Amino acid sequence: MKKFGKMIKGILKIWFFYLIVCLAILPLYHKRADEENRECERVLNMAGQERILNIENNVDALVWRLRLIESAKENIMLSIFDFRDDNSGQDMMAALLNAADRGVKVQILVDGINGTLYLKGSRNFRELTSHENVEVKLYNPITLIKPWKNNYRMHDKYLIADDFAYILGGRNTDDLFLGNYIDSYNEDRDILVYETVPGEGNSYIQIQDYFKKVWNLSCCRMYRKHEGINGRLREHYQEVREKHSEAFCEIDWFEETIETESIELCTNPIDPDNKQPQVWNRMVNEMEEADNILILMLYK
C-alpha cells in the first residue's frame, strides 16, 4: 500500500507540473502578427449608412438591450463572456424567452468556463434553453485532456437584433454591468450601431459573419436542452415591462443615433489558441499613419 501511495503521489506531482506548464508557461510565448491576415482588413461603409449611439451608463445599457430584443422579429444573436442568473440576467432571460415565444430564433454563445460555472445550475437558464427557438453553445468548455486550452477564453460582448441594429462593447450580462441593482458596479461603454439600410452596412455584415464563424468552430459545444421546464420567466417578463417601461415604447432609431463616416471592426484569430496579436498590430499601423488619434480601451 505504501508503494501504491507513493506512486499516486508521483502521478499527482507530474500532473500538477503538467498543469503549470500548460496554464502558465505556454501562454508566455507570444506569436507575431501576420501582416497578411484578413481579419483586420480595413472595410469602410458609405457615410451615413450606419449610425451610432454611445451608451455610457449601466441603466441605459440594460434598457437598450431590452429595446433591441423587443424589436427583433426574426433573429437574435447574443455573444457574451459572463452571463449570470442575477437581477439583470433574469431581465435579459425573460426578454429573450418572450422573443422566442414570438417566433424569433435566439442563438446565445457563452464562454465555456463562465457558462459552466454560472449557468449550468440555473433553473431560469434551463427554462430559457428548453424553448424550441433557443440554441446555446459554450465556447471552449473546460477540458482535462487538453488543459493548455483552458486559458483561451472568449471575451466577446455583443447583441445583434435582426439586420437593423447591434450593440457592441465591454459589458457582460450581469448586475456589475447592467441596470441599477447593486451599489458597487463597473463603469463601461457600449456602442449601438443602427443600420439605415437593413442588412447592408459593412460592419453589420462583418459582425454577423464573425458570429457564425465562432458559432461553427469545433471547440463550441451545444448546451444540452432540458425539456419541459416551466419557471417564472414569463411572469418576470411582465415585471420587466413595468420596471423598464421606457424600453417598450416606440423608438425613433434615426433621431437617437448620429451619423458616421465609417465603422471598422477588427479581431484577433478566433480559435482557442495562442493568438497572433492582429488587433494590436492594426492599432500600431493606424498610429503610424495618423496625425491625431484617440484610443478608448475597454477591458474586462
Side-chain angles (χ1 to χ4, degrees), residues 191-216:
I191 298 296
L192 181 148
V193 180
Y194 167 62
E195 305 294 330
T196 59
V197 182
E200 295 296 324
N202 282 328
S203 79
Y204 165 77
I205 294 172
Q206 281 182 279
I207 196 168
Q208 184 188 57
D209 289 346
Y210 175 79
F211 180 89
K212 292 177 180 178
K213 286 179 182 178
V214 179
W215 181 267
N216 291 320

Side-chain angles (χ1 to χ4, degrees), residues 197-259:
V197 182
E200 295 296 324
N202 282 328
S203 79
Y204 165 77
I205 294 172
Q206 281 182 279
I207 196 168
Q208 184 188 57
D209 289 346
Y210 175 79
F211 180 89
K212 292 177 180 178
K213 286 179 182 178
V214 179
W215 181 267
N216 291 320
L217 288 176
S218 61
C219 71
C220 291
R221 300 284 185 267
M222 191 67 74
Y223 181 89
R224 183 171 67 88
K225 282 183 174 291
H226 298 76
E227 303 295 340
I229 296 181
N230 295 314
R232 62 175 307 274
L233 282 183
R234 289 180 176 86
E235 177 185 344
H236 184 64
Y237 174 74
Q238 300 305 321
E239 297 172 1
V240 173
R241 289 187 65 95
E242 294 176 7
K243 182 168 49 179
H244 303 289
S245 58
E246 67 273 29
F248 300 90
C249 302
E250 285 291 328
I251 300 297
D252 189 331
W253 298 90
F254 192 90
E255 288 296 323
E256 293 285 351
T257 54
I258 60 173
E259 185 179 6

